[in-house]
């Protein structure tokens, strides 16, 4: 494992270019500092791409499309396995780069990279069995082909960079598309370093990466006339903009947006286990993830004991330097995000919610720049803003329930529908409840239980479409129906 002591070996470049047509190009608009989220030091500088570079990247992707989409699936599959091999072989270094770029605990990246490597292997395999239809019909034959779309414009957020890169690239490339990907301006280093590693693996122009600001590179990408698909993960606000653009241009679109997941605790649980699972569920990813179980609904019979233990467990969560393997909670991505999270605690107080534990920024020596926020537990009514809006920090609300129908209604009464959790030993209760929850993923008794090939995506405002599963291949292809008649109908047939 790469530890803080070996950070000097990361050998980041002083500044990076834009990865276009297999080469690194100097940007016309200069660079943006890539900051260590915890200590504020400049790690490197990423290129500030804009309209000019997006245009070059889209051209390169269009030029590469014909050959890549006609490359036999066995070859594309083998190349995606190579991509996975490269990621696997370089993962320790990339994990540390990502840890410092995002401020997230190094400990968490084993999960990120396991999922990312797996994504490339999964789609390398899935494409081999992604079949259309071929069957004899009367006097002929029917063929339904799955054809690649063309150039995919993909835009991702900063919270889990390599997971996002893999979720976007693996199905798109497997299906024969070429890509222009824009990572988030706050965490692009692992993505651009990955591009360096892939320079001689993928044919030129198949993958292009343009770093830069959303309003510049991002906007230019979605507005470009020669793209054929939009795929976006990020906030609901920008997601609506991307969806609107797709609507106007009639482009296929997939959106993975925010979340505010309910986590329902039944009275029959082992409280210590449930508290552990709940704590993981609201603090992992520094609380900066759309899937977190941040709305805890606890049955009244166990409420007091559960909450008391939840607070005791929060006190034990180790806040520290992100590069320390024993750290479980570290710096939020930047000051803006830190202030936003603290601002939500003020909103909670103003609307009459009660902060039972946490709510403060803490200082970690050597990392005074970073926004380290205590795990925060807030007693709230389920319709308060603090229990409705995405905070994107290590905080959860706790709400008491007594009636199953009522808790399901409270759980569903939210604009989002990405994930949900249930804890109970009664599997009949669990499945009945899961069936009634409006969420794309429901985890029973173990939060974040991501499973191979299981579709991931949101109900309601959490998004459109599914990733992480074979369903994603449908979003990156279009069907062509070819009907063959062996002979034309006899002359006079139409009289
Ligand atoms: P964001 O929407 O501000 O930014 C996401 C990406 O969009 C970035 O690359 C950004 O540069 C780009 N962007 C911003 N404005 C743009 C524009 N006008 N045109 C084109 N691109 C533009 O989101 P964020 O703050 O980076 O990420 C946090 C959000 O992402 C949260 O709301 C979170 O829930 C969501 N998220 C969702 C998932 C999911 O799978 N559902 C996963 C991770 C994060």
């Amino acid at each position: 494992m790469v530890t803080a002591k070996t950070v000097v070996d990361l050998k980041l470049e002083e500044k990076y270019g834009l990865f276009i047509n297999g080469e690194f190009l100097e940007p016309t608009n200069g660079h943006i500092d890539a900051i260590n989220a915890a200590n504020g030091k400049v790690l490197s500088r990423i290129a500030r791409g804009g309209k000019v570079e997006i245009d070059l990247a889209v051209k390169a992707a269009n030029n590469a499309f014909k050959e890549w989409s006609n490359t036999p699936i066995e070859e594309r599959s083998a190349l995606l396995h190579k991509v996975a091999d490269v990621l696997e072989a370089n993962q320790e270094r990339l994990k540390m780069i990502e840890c410092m770029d995002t401020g997230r605990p190094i400990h968490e990246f084993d999960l990120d990279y396991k999922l990312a490597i797996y994504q490339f292997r999964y789609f390398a395999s899935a494409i081999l069995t992604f079949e259309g239809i071929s069957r004899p019909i009367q006097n002929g034959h029917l063929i339904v082909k799955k054809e690649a779309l063309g150039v995919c414009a993909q835009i991702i957020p900063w919270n889990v960079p390599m997971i996002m890169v893999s979720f976007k690239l693996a199905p798109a490339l497997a299906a024969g598309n070429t890509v222009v990907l824009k990572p988030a301006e706050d965490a692009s280093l692992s993505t651009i370093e990955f591009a360096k590693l892939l320079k001689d693996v993928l044919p030129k122009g198949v993958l292009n990466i343009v770093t830069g600001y959303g309003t510049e590179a991002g906007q230019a990408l979605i507005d470009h006339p020669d793209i054929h698909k939009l795929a976006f993960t990020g906030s609901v606000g920008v997601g609506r903009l991307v969806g609107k653009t797709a609507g106007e241009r009639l482009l296929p679109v997939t959106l993975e947006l925010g979340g505010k997941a309910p986590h329902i605790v039944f009275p029959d649980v082992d409280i210590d286990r449930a508290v552990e699972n709940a704590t993981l569920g609201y603090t992992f990813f520094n609380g900066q993830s759309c899937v977190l179980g941040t709305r805890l609904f606890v049955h009244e019979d166990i409420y007091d004991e559960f909450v008391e233990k939840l607070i005791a467990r929060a006190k034990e969560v180790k806040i520290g330097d992100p590069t320390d393997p024993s750290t479980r909670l570290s710096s939020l991505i930047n000051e803006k995000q830190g202030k936003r999270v603290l601002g939500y605690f003020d909103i909670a107080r103003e609307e009459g919610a009660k902060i039972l534990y946490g709510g403060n920024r803490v200082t970690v020596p050597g990392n005074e720049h970073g926004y380290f926020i205590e795990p925060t537990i807030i007693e709230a009514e389920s319709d308060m803003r603090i229990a409705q809006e995405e905070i994107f920090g290590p905080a959860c609300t706790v709400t008491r329930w007594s009636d199953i129908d009522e808790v399901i209604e409270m759980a569903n009464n939210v604009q989002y529908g990405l994930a949900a959790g249930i804890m109970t030993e009664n599997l009949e209760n669990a499945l009945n409840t899961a069936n009634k929850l409006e969420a794309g993923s429901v985890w029973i008794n173990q939060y974040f239980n991501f499973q191979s090939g299981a579709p991931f995506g949101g109900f309601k405002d959490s998004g459109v479409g599914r990733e992480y599963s074979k369903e994603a291949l449908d979003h990156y292809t279009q069907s062509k129906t070819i009907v063959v008649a062996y002979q034309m109908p006899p002359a006079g047939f139409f009289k």
Side-chain angles (χ1 to χ4, degrees):
M1 174 186 274
V2 180
T3 66
K5 289 192 188 64
T6 58
V7 162
V8 281
D9 299 333
L10 291 178
K11 294 197 178 80
L12 287 168
E13 294 190 17
E14 195 191 316
K15 58 180 185 164
Y16 290 85
L18 299 142
F19 185 63
I20 297 173
N21 206 28
E23 306 294 334
F24 282 89
L25 301 188
E26 272 294 301
T28 48
N29 276 338
H31 289 82
I32 305 167
D33 286 346
I35 306 285
N36 179 317
N39 65 23
K41 289 187 183 151
V42 175
L43 288 165
S44 174
R45 310 189 76 214
I46 56 159
R48 181 176 170 181
K51 218 164 175 264
V52 175
E53 291 84 3
I54 287 290
D55 197 44
L56 290 172
V58 172
K59 275 200 181 89
N62 269 305
N63 288 340
F65 176 67
K66 196 169 168 198
E67 199 173 327
W68 180 246
S69 57
N70 283 313
T71 301
I73 51 171
E74 294 81 358
E75 268 179 52
R76 288 208 303 265
S77 167
L79 279 176
L80 281 181
H81 274 299
K82 246 189 206 168
V83 171
D85 292 343
V86 166
L87 191 54
E88 197 157 29
N90 292 278
Q91 59 178 312
E92 296 307 327
R93 177 170 172 269
L94 291 171
K95 283 175 191 172
M96 186 52 87
I97 291 172
E98 210 166 306
C99 159
M100 295 198 293
D101 210 10
T102 61
R104 284 182 40 219
I106 187 67
H107 150 85
E108 295 184 351
F109 287 94
D110 288 346
L111 174 67
D112 288 49
Y113 277 70
K114 188 177 141 199
L115 294 182
I117 293 162
Y118 162 74
Q119 271 298 276
F120 287 107
R121 297 215 189 284
Y122 176 82
F123 284 104
S125 304
I127 196 62
L128 299 177
T129 61
F130 186 60
E131 283 144 1
I133 299 171
S134 171
R135 66 177 159 83
I137 56 175
Q138 194 177 15
N139 185 38
H141 205 89
L142 167 70
I143 300 162
V144 180
K145 289 173 68 194
K146 300 281 189 180
E147 293 190 357
L149 298 169
V151 176
C152 301
Q154 304 185 320
I155 298 179
I156 57 173
W158 42 259
N159 57 343
V160 286
M162 197 54 74
I163 292 183
M164 289 293 112
V165 165
S166 67
F167 271 37
K168 293 287 177 279
L169 293 187
L173 298 180
N177 301 281
T178 54
V179 167
V180 178
L181 178 110
K182 196 207 84 67
E185 53 270 39
D186 284 301
S188 294
L189 287 180
S190 57
T191 308
I192 202 77
E193 274 287 337
F194 188 35
K196 261 172 69 183
L197 297 167
L198 296 181
K199 191 169 177 288
D200 300 320
V201 175
L202 292 169
K204 282 185 193 315
V206 167
L207 168 64
N208 304 275
I209 293 173
V210 179
T211 51
Y213 293 117
T215 47
E216 298 176 356
Q219 190 72 47
L221 180 55
I222 63 175
D223 286 343
H224 199 286
D226 298 327
I227 56 168
H228 307 98
K229 149 97 189 171
L230 285 167
F232 172 82
T233 296
S235 60
V236 173
V238 181
R240 280 193 208 285
L241 183 79
V242 174
K244 208 169 145 197
T245 306
E248 278 162 5
R249 306 261 306 276
L250 300 178
L251 291 177
V253 63
T254 38
L255 302 170
E256 300 284 356
L257 309 175
K260 186 82 177 174
H263 202 173
I264 302 174
V265 192
F266 279 75
D268 61 356
V269 293
D270 175 317
I271 294 185
D272 292 328
R273 286 179 182 222
V275 162
E276 193 68 19
N277 195 30
T279 304
L280 171 89
Y282 82 91
T283 59
F284 208 76
F285 304 115
N286 276 344
Q288 299 169 137
S289 164
C290 45
V291 293
L292 293 170
T294 51
R295 305 173 79 215
L296 280 164
F297 292 98
V298 185
H299 192 273
E300 61 178 1
D301 289 355
I302 57 162
Y303 185 87
D304 292 339
E305 186 184 347
F306 182 92
V307 170
E308 192 186 312
K309 288 186 166 171
L310 192 69
I311 292 170
R313 184 64 187 85
K315 289 179 184 165
E316 286 172 7
V317 173
K318 186 174 171 206
I319 304 175
D321 186 299
T323 61
D324 177 343
S326 68
T327 292
R328 291 294 176 271
L329 195 57
S330 49
S331 169
L332 299 187
I333 188 81
N334 56 27
E335 183 181 3
K336 185 173 155 221
Q337 186 65 17
K339 290 196 164 148
R340 184 171 175 267
V341 171
L342 293 172
Y344 262 109
F345 301 154
D346 292 336
I347 291 171
R349 289 185 196 99
E350 279 159 24
E351 62 185 345
K354 198 168 156 200
I355 298 193
L356 300 177
Y357 179 75
N360 303 302
R361 181 181 177 188
V362 281
T363 308
V364 171
N367 292 299
E368 287 72 13
H369 169 92
Y371 269 76
F372 295 78
I373 310 266
E374 291 170 317
T376 300
I377 300 163
I378 307 158
E379 190 169 53
E381 300 295 329
S382 71
D383 57 357
M384 288 178 171
R385 279 184 68 190
I386 195 71
Q388 289 284 323
E389 296 176 18
E390 189 170 55
I391 302 173
F392 237 51
C396 68
T397 56
V398 282
T399 305
R400 203 184 285 266
W401 69 275
S402 54
D403 175 76
I404 181 71
D405 293 331
E406 189 196 20
V407 74
I408 289 168
E409 200 182 313
M410 287 195 289
N412 285 337
N413 180 23
V414 64
Q415 78 179 105
Y416 299 107
L418 189 61
I422 298 166
M423 289 188 263
T424 175
E425 287 180 9
N426 180 331
L427 289 182
E428 191 178 349
N429 261 344
L431 283 174
N432 283 339
T433 307
N435 286 331
K436 290 176 187 157
L437 290 177
E438 296 163 357
S441 297
V442 183
W443 291 298
I444 297 168
N445 291 332
Q446 190 185 333
Y447 216 74
F448 302 130
N449 200 349
F450 287 101
Q451 288 301 314
S452 321
F456 176 74
F459 281 30
K460 304 194 280 191
D461 288 359
S462 289
V464 177
R466 294 292 178 268
E467 298 186 303
Y468 199 59
S469 67
K470 219 169 166 180
E471 262 185 61
L473 291 175
D474 288 321
H475 297 305
Y476 282 101
T477 51
Q478 53 192 339
S479 299
K480 179 181 281 174
T481 297
I482 303 174
V483 188
V484 185
Y486 291 143
Q487 295 92 25
M488 278 187 248
F493 157 82
F494 188 52
K495 273 187 192 160

